[in-house]
Amino acid sequence: MKTVERILDIMEKTMEWIGAVLIVVMLVVSLLEVIFRDALDAPLTWSLSLTILMMIWMAMLISGTGVRSNLHIRVAAFADTLPKKTKKIVDVIVLGLLFYFGYYMVIGSYSMALLPGIMPELRIPNAWLYIPVILGGILTMIFSVEKAVRILLGKEIGGLR
């Protein structure tokens, strides 16, 4: 179990670092766009598309790690009033629903990624818009299973918070 935890820790940190790098690149691209548009009167035609693409990548990769960090939305007020054993069951059900959601992220995005088309400003396939959703769905499924196993084994302190 320690090896699996270490691998998942590395995956989580990698996604967080990729997200941080993407934020910095988005800021630089946006700054360049402002400079080129306002100061040089020569707007960059590709900057908005690239910024949107990076935002999608960042949001989807980080969203998968949100399951592991308990950043997903849930109604804590209701769950916290339940007895400990019932709360554990509810937490596992919530994680099962998150797994299901991740699965449909993968299936739906995969079918969309197969559609033809390109992003004209960047001259890359539209699939690049859906690949991060597939990866985010896979991460959501992996981290949902990890959290559920930890709760069922009693290794998760306080369940989902």
Side-chain angles (χ1 to χ4, degrees):
M1 185 81 173
K2 289 288 181 192
T3 305
V4 172
E5 284 181 37
R6 197 169 297 136
I7 290 170
L8 294 177
D9 286 342
I10 291 169
M11 285 173 55
E12 180 181 26
K13 291 297 175 202
T14 302
M15 294 307 120
E16 289 172 356
W17 273 101
I18 290 171
V21 167
L22 287 173
I23 287 174
V24 170
V25 174
M26 283 172 28
L27 288 171
V28 168
V29 169
S30 297
L31 179 64
L32 285 173
E33 170 56 26
V34 170
I35 291 169
F36 272 76
R37 183 187 64 226
D38 294 342
L40 303 175
D41 199 30
L44 303 172
T45 58
W46 50 267
S47 63
L48 181 61
S49 294
L50 182 60
T51 303
I52 290 170
L53 182 65
M54 287 187 292
M55 187 178 296
I56 293 169
W57 274 84
M58 184 220 29
M60 290 297 103
L61 295 180
I62 297 300
S63 71
T65 63
V67 173
R68 192 164 200 236
S69 304
N70 292 325
L71 297 176
H72 54 84
I73 299 172
R74 78 179 190 78
V75 182
F78 170 72
D80 290 343
T81 62
L82 298 172
K84 195 172 188 172
K85 194 169 193 163
T86 307
K87 184 177 180 314
K88 192 178 194 180
I89 293 167
V90 169
D91 286 344
V92 171
I93 290 170
V94 167
L95 288 164
L97 292 171
L98 283 169
F99 181 90
Y100 188 67
F101 178 71
Y103 171 76
Y104 274 96
M105 284 173 66
V106 172
I107 298 304
S109 297
Y110 178 74
S111 63
M112 295 297 289
L114 295 177
L115 295 175
I118 63 164
M119 296 177 67
E121 298 87 1
L122 300 175
R123 295 186 182 109
I124 60 173
N126 283 337
W128 283 94
L129 292 168
Y130 301 102
I131 292 170
V133 183
I134 294 169
L135 296 174
I138 291 169
L139 290 170
T140 298
M141 291 189 306
I142 290 169
F143 291 137
S144 295
V145 169
E146 179 208 16
K147 293 287 276 189
V149 168
R150 290 177 63 82
I151 288 171
L152 292 172
L153 294 176
K155 294 185 178 188
E156 186 70 25
I157 299 171
L160 298 175
R161 291 253 169 204

